[in-house]
Amino acid sequence: MSNGKGGKKAWGDEIFETREAATSTALSCVVSGFDIVPAKEVIHFGKNPSSHAYHRSILIGDRLNDDSMRWYAVRVAPGFQRMAKAIDGIPEHRRGESIIERNLRQANIDVFMPAFWKEIRKHRSRKLVERRLPMLVGYAFIRRDPGTGFDQVREVDGVNGIVSRGRDGGPIAFSEGDVQTLMIAAFDRNQAYKFQRATALETARHVRRKQLNTELGRLLPKGRARTVSLRYHAEACINSLEDRMKERVLGIIQTLDGLENDEHLDEYREAV
């Protein structure tokens, strides 16, 4: 983002695995009208799951000059802020988009809906699922040249109207600063969610692995040297075990291998 002196400053802290991921995340925060350049990243991870350190920066270039564009608030019909059906190959920055966002984008209308992520546990399967929820229930923002009119916006399925100055007044324009404040608030909240979720997963993985290794150690013959891993010890003596014991040991090993799948940890942690 421009620092007012012809330079750029960093915005945001988290891990970017790829340049594309950095760009798509930045695009989801600033919508459009910016030149986005991911910064170099330095990442440090500790061994303790509760103390993971992470860092990521997004560099955002000077805003494109377009004084004709303004932000406006639209009233959203009930049910249109729920997540739309997933589409294969959709860009990362559109993951979890709502029905109203998809409808507006398909009409080539820039849209920003302040939202946050939350995990919800299903009652029957006990699985945790991610849900993207609106920060402002019933409202979203569009960026538009008022000279083009608003009839096209009103025709979009899910738009109940545009926030205006009374019945006879025109649509209320919001400043770039107002909307950027909401963008940054949503961005910060989502980064906090990602970090909390990653920490919860690693903590659950660490605790569950420790429990399984303790159980495995009790089943295997004594005499393992400290320099020999439990996994190697299990493989070395598996054939000497009785069939019933062998089945239990193999089951624990299979469960240990499955801990790399985040879904296998759902029942061992709280929803974020």
Side-chain angles (χ1 to χ4, degrees):
M1 183 178 295
S2 173
N3 61 10
K5 300 179 181 179
K8 298 178 176 67
K9 64 180 181 180
W11 180 26
D13 288 312
E14 194 206 327
I15 298 168
F16 276 140
E17 295 183 358
T18 64
R19 182 185 180 92
E20 289 73 19
T23 300
S24 64
T25 301
L27 281 170
S28 69
C29 300
V30 297
V31 185
S32 62
F34 293 86
D35 175 33
I36 298 165
V37 183
K40 292 181 179 180
E41 63 184 34
V42 178
I43 307 170
H44 299 283
F45 283 105
K47 293 184 178 180
N48 186 341
S50 64
S51 63
H52 283 299
Y54 64 97
H55 181 74
R56 174 183 68 180
S57 294
I58 305 172
L59 293 184
I60 302 176
D62 293 331
R63 188 176 178 280
L64 301 178
N65 267 329
D66 192 349
D67 294 333
S68 64
M69 304 298 281
R70 296 288 186 275
W71 284 103
Y72 299 91
V74 297
R75 289 189 293 274
V76 182
F80 280 82
Q81 285 182 302
R82 70 177 185 271
M83 288 170 57
K85 186 177 180 180
I87 299 177
D88 291 337
I90 197 168
E92 176 62 23
H93 72 273
R94 291 180 58 181
R95 185 177 77 90
E97 69 180 350
S98 63
I99 298 174
I100 188 63
E101 289 173 299
R102 181 172 295 175
N103 291 350
L104 286 165
R105 285 167 179 154
Q106 288 176 344
N108 294 318
I109 299 172
D110 284 342
V111 58
F112 167 63
M113 187 186 81
F116 63 96
W117 286 91
K118 182 179 181 180
E119 288 183 329
I120 298 174
R121 190 178 295 280
K122 290 186 175 181
H123 292 293
R124 291 186 178 180
S125 66
R126 304 303 295 165
K127 293 291 185 181
L128 292 173
V129 294
E130 292 184 290
R131 290 287 183 265
R132 183 169 171 266
L133 306 172
M135 291 175 62
L136 300 175
V137 177
Y139 295 92
F141 294 87
I142 60 169
R143 189 168 179 268
R144 189 169 181 80
D145 180 353
T148 60
F150 294 89
D151 289 343
Q152 180 194 14
V153 179
R154 294 187 179 95
E155 291 174 357
V156 173
D157 192 21
V159 174
N160 264 356
I162 301 169
V163 177
S164 306
R165 298 181 182 87
R167 180 174 298 179
D168 299 325
I172 299 174
F174 291 82
S175 72
E176 198 75 35
D178 291 336
V179 178
Q180 279 189 5
T181 298
L182 289 172
M183 288 179 177
I184 293 172
F187 178 82
D188 288 343
R189 186 164 180 176
N190 286 327
Q191 303 322 301
Y193 162 78
K194 289 180 180 180
F195 182 67
Q196 291 168 4
R197 185 174 184 273
T199 300
L201 283 166
E202 289 307 314
T203 299
R205 187 175 285 114
H206 174 76
V207 172
R208 183 59 177 155
R209 184 178 288 118
K210 186 176 180 180
Q211 292 172 342
L212 290 168
N213 281 330
T214 299
E215 184 178 351
L216 186 61
R218 291 171 179 169
L219 296 175
L220 296 175
K222 306 301 180 183
R224 176 177 65 93
R226 290 187 177 182
T227 57
V228 177
S229 70
L230 261 176
R231 181 62 175 267
Y232 182 82
H233 183 51
E235 292 175 350
C237 62
I238 189 72
N239 292 327
S240 64
L241 301 176
E242 297 179 358
D243 290 344
R244 188 173 180 181
M245 188 70 70
K246 182 188 297 185
E247 186 177 348
R248 290 181 62 186
V249 170
L250 289 174
I252 293 174
I253 292 175
Q254 185 178 8
T255 303
L256 281 167
D257 292 340
L259 292 181
E260 296 307 313
N261 186 332
D262 291 347
E263 291 184 0
H264 292 173
L265 298 167
D266 284 356
E267 61 181 298
Y268 301 104
R269 67 182 183 89
E270 297 295 325
V272 176

